[in-house]
C-alpha cells in the first residue's frame, strides 16, 4: 500500500465544520474530539442539530436526481478514485483511527484496507445489470428495474468508524442515491471527515454526500426528515429499536445491523492451541468492542480445563495501553461509562459463582483482558453484549446442549464452530440461528463481498454488503409500455 507523507486531512479545511454540500459551520456549534487513551483534544468539528440535518437532507434531495442520471461508468470512476485516495493516504489516515477510536495499528490498517475494498465493490454495483423483462397479459411490454430510493441516511458507531460508515455510504452512492451521514460524535473524523475528504477530492458532485456529526437529536431528525427515504443504521440493539420505531412511524425503509452475543463452539476433538487462539482473538480484539466479538466460548466439558488454561495464559500476556505511544495489544475502552458497565457485568458474574481467572480490573480506561469460567444462564455475562475484553467460558456435555445454549440468546449475529470433524462442525452450525456462520473460525469476520447482518436483537433481517446491496439500496419499479394508448369500456 502506497503511503503518502503529505497532509491529506488538512485540518484547516474542516476544523469546526461539517460537510453540508461544502465545509460549513453548523447551527449546533462545535464539539471537541478527544483521544480516549489520554483525554487530549485532537480537533474540533461541526456538531449538527436538527436544523443542520434538515439543510443537509434538502441539499441531498436537490442533488440526487442528476446524480442518479449520471452515467454508471462515471459513478464507478468517482468511487474508484475515492478508493485510490483512501489507499494512497492510508498511513496518515490510520493514525487518526488509532487516536480517535483507541485502535491498535493493525486494527486501524484493517479499517483502511477493508474501506478501500468496500468502495471498490460499490463501484462494481454501479454497472451491474439490475432489470428484467416480465411476462404480460396483453401485447404491451413489461419490465422491472431497480431505482434508487432517493436520499439515504446513514448512522454509524464508534468502534469501526471508517468501515461501518463507508460500507453503506459507498453502496448507496454507487446505486444513484444521495447520502446524509451522521457519524458517532466520538469518532467524527474517522467516521466522517475522512470520507468527506476522499469523495471531495474524487470529484463527487456537490450536495450528493453530506456528513453531519451530531447526537441523538440529529439522529432522530434524520429518521423523521421527509427528504430522507431510507436509514442504514449500525449500532446497539437499543438504538436500533428507536431508529426502527421512528422510521416505521414515517414509513421509511430501514436497515438495522445491531449488536450480538456471539457463540464460539469448541467441540471435544478440536486442536486445543488453535481453539484457544481463536477464542482469544474473537474475545479480545479491539478490546472486545466489536458487534461480532466472541461473547461466549462454549467448550465441551472434556476439554474445558485445557482450553481455559490456554486462554488465561494468553490473557495475561496481552498488555493494555495507549496504542499511539506504546506497543500494546489492547487500547482504551471508549468511555468511562462503558468501563463501568464492563465492571458491572464481571462483578455480577463473580457474585453468581463464576470464577475470575484473569483480568477483571482496569487502570482508567485500560481494561485488562479478562477470563470468566463457569459462566451460566442467569448471569448478565451470559445474556448481555459486554463490549469489553471479557472471555466468558461456558461448558457443555453434548453437541445438542451446545446448540441449545447458543440459540438461547435473543441475539443472532454470528457464530463459529471449531472441530477436527468438518461434517460434525457443519451439522452443529446448520442448527444455529445466526446471520453469519463460520466453520473452523472465530466470530469476528467481515468484508465487502458477503451479506452482513443478523436476526433477532441483532437486526431486522436486512443485510449490507455483497449481493444484498442492490436489494437494500434500490427498490423495484414496474414499467409497462404500449405502442399507442387504447380506449377502455368506460
Amino acid at each position: 500500500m502506497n503511503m503518502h507523507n503529505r497532509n491529506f486531512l488538512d485540518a484547516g479545511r474542516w476544523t469546526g465544520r461539517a460537510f453540508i454540500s461544502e465545509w460549513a459551520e453548523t447551527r449546533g456549534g462545535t464539539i471537541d474530539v478527544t483521544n480516549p487513551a489520554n483525554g487530549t483534544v485532537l480537533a474540533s468539528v461541526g456538531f449538527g442539530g436538527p436544523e443542520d440535518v434538515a439543510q443537509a437532507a434538502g441539499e441531498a434531495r436537490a442533488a440526487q436526481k442528476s446524480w442518479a442520471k449520471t452515467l454508471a461508468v462515471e459513478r464507478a470512476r468517482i468511487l474508484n478514485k475515492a478508493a485510490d485516495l483512501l489507499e494512497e493516504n492510508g498511513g496518515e489516515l490510520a493514525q487518526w483511527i488509532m487516536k480517535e477510536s483507541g485502535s491498535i495499528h493493525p486494527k486501524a490498517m484493517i479499517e483502511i484496507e477493508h474501506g478501500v475494498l468496500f468502495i471498490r465493490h460499490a463501484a462494481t454495483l454501479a454497472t451491474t445489470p439490475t432489470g428484467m423483462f416480465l411476462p404480460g397479459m396483453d401485447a404491451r411490454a413489461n419490465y422491472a428495474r431497480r431505482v434508487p430510493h432517493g436520499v439515504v441516511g446513514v448512522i454509524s458507531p464508534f468502534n469501526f468508524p471508517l468501515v461501518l460508515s463507508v460500507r453503506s455510504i459507498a453502496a448507496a452512492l454507487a446505486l444513484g442515491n444521495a447520502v446524509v451521514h451522521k457519524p458517532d460524535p466520538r469518532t467524527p473524523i474517522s467516521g466522517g471527515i475522512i470520507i468527506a475528504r476522499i469523495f471531495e477530492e474524487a470529484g463527487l458532485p456537490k450536495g450528493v454526500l453530506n456528513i453531519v456529526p451530531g447526537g441523538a437529536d440529529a439522529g432522530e431528525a434524520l429518521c423523521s426528515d421527509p427528504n430522507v427515504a431510507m436509514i442504514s443504521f449500525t449500532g446497539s440493539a437499543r438504538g436500533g429499536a428507536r431508529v426502527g420505531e421512528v422510521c416505521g412511524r414515517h414509513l421509511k425503509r430501514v436497515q438495522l445491523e445491531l449488536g450480538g452475543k456471539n457463540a464460539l463452539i469448541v467441540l471435544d476433538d478440536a486442536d486445543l492451541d488453535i481453539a484457544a487462539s481463536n477464542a482469544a482473538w474473537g474475545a479480545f480484539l479491539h478490546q472486545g468492542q466489536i458487534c461480532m466479538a466472541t461473547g461466549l466460548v462454549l467448550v465441551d466439558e472434556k476439554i474445558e480445563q485445557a482450553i481455559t488454561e490456554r486462554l488465561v495464559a494468553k490473557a495475561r500476556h496481552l498488555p493494555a495501553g495507549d496504542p499511539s505511544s506504546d506497543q500494546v495489544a489492547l487500547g482504551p475502552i471508549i468511555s468511562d461509562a462503558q468501563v463501568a458497565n464492563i465492571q458491572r457485568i464481571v462483578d455480577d458474574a463473580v457474585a453468581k459463582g463464576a470464577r475470575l481467572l484473569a483480568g477483571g480490573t482496569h487502570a482508567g480506561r485500560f481494561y485488562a483482558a479478562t477470563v470468566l469460567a463457569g459462566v451460566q444462564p442467569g448471569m448478565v455475562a451470559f445474556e448481555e453484549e459486554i463490549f469489553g475484553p471479557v472471555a466468558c467460558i461456558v461448558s457443555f456435555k453434548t453437541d445438542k446442549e451446545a446448540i441449545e445454549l447458543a440459540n438461547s440468546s435473543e441475539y443472532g449475529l454470528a457464530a463459529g464452530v471449531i472441530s477436527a470433524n468438518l461434517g460434525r462442525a457443519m451439522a452443529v452450525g446448520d442448527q444455529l440461528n445466526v446471520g453469519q456462520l463460520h466453520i473452523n473460525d472465530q466470530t469476528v469476520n467481515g468484508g465487502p463481498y458477503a451479506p452482513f447482518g443478523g436476526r433477532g436483537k441483532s437486526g431486522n433481517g436486512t443485510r449490507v454488503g455483497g449481493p444484498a446491496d442492490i436489494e437494500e439500496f434500490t427498490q423495484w419499479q414496474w414499467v409497462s409500455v404500449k405502442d399507442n394508448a387504447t380506449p377502455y369500456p368506460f
Side-chain angles (χ1 to χ4, degrees), residues 445-462:
N445 284 281
Y449 311 118
F452 189 99
R455 55 200 297 172
K457 279 180 69 173
S458 293
N460 59 343
T462 54

Side-chain angles (χ1 to χ4, degrees), residues 171-182:
L173 292 175
L175 294 163
N177 300 281
V179 172
V180 179
H181 172 48
K182 190 197 85 67

Side-chain angles (χ1 to χ4, degrees), residues 233 235-238 240 255-262 291-292 383 385 406-415 428-437 451-464 472:
F233 174 87
S236 69
R238 186 176 66 175
Q255 176 190 64
L256 302 175
E257 197 268 283
L258 311 177
K261 188 65 178 174
N262 312 292
C291 60
M292 316 94 77
E383 317 286 350
E385 183 179 38
N407 285 341
S408 67
S409 175
E410 294 180 287
Y411 293 96
L413 187 57
V428 170
D430 285 347
Q431 299 176 69
L432 301 178
N433 298 326
V434 291
Q436 44 213 297
L437 171 66
F452 189 99
R455 55 200 297 172
K457 279 180 69 173
S458 293
N460 59 343
T462 54
R463 299 291 184 267
V464 61
E472 296 293 349

Side-chain angles (χ1 to χ4, degrees), residues 160-403:
F160 275 72
L162 176 66
V163 165
L164 297 183
S165 302
V166 83
R167 65 177 183 178
S168 294
I169 292 169
L173 292 175
L175 294 163
N177 300 281
V179 172
V180 179
H181 172 48
K182 190 197 85 67
D184 190 296
R186 293 169 292 192
T187 51
I189 300 168
S190 308
I193 303 296
I194 287 174
I195 298 165
R197 283 289 296 124
I198 62 173
F199 279 104
E200 181 184 32
E201 288 290 309
L204 187 70
K206 193 173 176 180
V208 175
L209 174 62
N210 302 270
I211 294 182
V212 187
D217 61 339
E220 190 107 359
L222 191 59
C223 293
S224 58
D225 192 286
N227 286 318
V228 176
M230 174 190 174
I231 296 291
S232 176
F233 174 87
T234 304
S236 69
R238 186 176 66 175
R242 179 62 181 161
V243 168
E245 178 188 340
V246 178
C247 288
R249 193 183 316 133
H250 294 274
L251 301 179
K252 295 186 193 297
R253 183 178 183 89
V254 60
Q255 176 190 64
L256 302 175
E257 197 268 283
L258 311 177
K261 188 65 178 174
N262 312 292
L264 173 63
I265 299 176
V266 183
L267 302 181
D268 60 0
D269 58 1
D271 180 289
L272 299 174
D273 292 324
I274 290 174
S277 174
N278 274 257
W281 180 261
F284 301 141
L285 178 64
H286 195 45
Q287 303 81 261
Q289 298 176 124
I290 305 176
C291 60
M292 316 94 77
T294 299
L296 294 173
V297 184
L298 303 182
V299 184
D300 189 294
E301 64 178 13
K302 292 188 283 295
I303 60 169
E304 179 192 8
Q305 183 176 345
I307 292 288
T308 300
E309 289 171 353
R310 286 164 169 79
L311 195 49
V312 167
K314 290 181 181 297
R316 289 175 176 165
H317 289 86
L318 294 175
D322 185 346
S324 301
S325 57
D326 304 313
Q327 284 290 107
V328 296
L330 278 65
I333 301 299
I334 194 65
S335 68
D336 294 338
Q338 182 57 24
V339 171
N341 190 55
I342 296 166
Q343 195 65 54
R344 171 186 70 88
I345 294 171
V346 171
D347 291 346
D348 173 85
V350 172
K352 292 175 180 175
R355 303 188 309 281
L356 179 62
L357 302 178
T361 60
H362 62 94
R365 290 187 180 173
F366 303 110
Y367 205 96
T370 298
V371 178
L372 288 171
V375 174
Q376 297 178 353
M379 297 177 182
V380 180
F382 184 91
E383 317 286 350
E384 289 187 15
E385 183 179 38
I386 300 176
F387 241 57
V390 183
C392 300
I393 299 174
V394 183
S395 68
F396 62 84
K397 290 182 169 61
T398 64
D399 293 5
K400 181 174 182 289
E401 185 185 1
I403 294 163

Side-chain angles (χ1 to χ4, degrees), residues 32-43 99-100 322 324 365:
D32 285 340
V33 184
T34 60
N35 183 331
N38 55 33
T40 58
V41 175
L42 300 170
K99 291 175 182 175
E100 189 181 41
D322 185 346
S324 301
R365 290 187 180 173

Side-chain angles (χ1 to χ4, degrees), residues 49-139:
E51 287 181 321
D52 300 295
V53 169
Q55 181 189 343
E59 302 261 2
R61 178 77 177 268
Q64 188 268 329
K65 290 292 184 191
S66 60
W67 174 243
K69 291 177 181 175
T70 300
L71 287 176
V73 289
E74 174 63 7
R75 295 202 304 267
R77 185 195 67 78
I78 291 171
L79 283 155
N80 277 315
K81 178 63 174 173
D84 290 343
L85 289 162
L86 180 58
E87 188 167 43
E88 289 165 6
N89 297 283
E92 174 193 339
L93 301 179
Q95 296 299 314
W96 283 99
I97 297 172
M98 291 174 66
K99 291 175 182 175
E100 189 181 41
S101 70
S103 302
I104 61 172
H105 187 259
K107 182 266 184 186
M109 291 309 301
I110 287 171
E111 285 217 56
I112 297 293
E113 290 160 9
H114 278 219
V116 169
L117 290 173
F118 270 106
I119 301 171
R120 296 206 192 285
H121 161 67
T124 70
L125 299 175
T127 56
T128 299
T130 59
M132 65 177 74
F133 278 96
L134 306 173
M137 296 179 289
D138 52 30

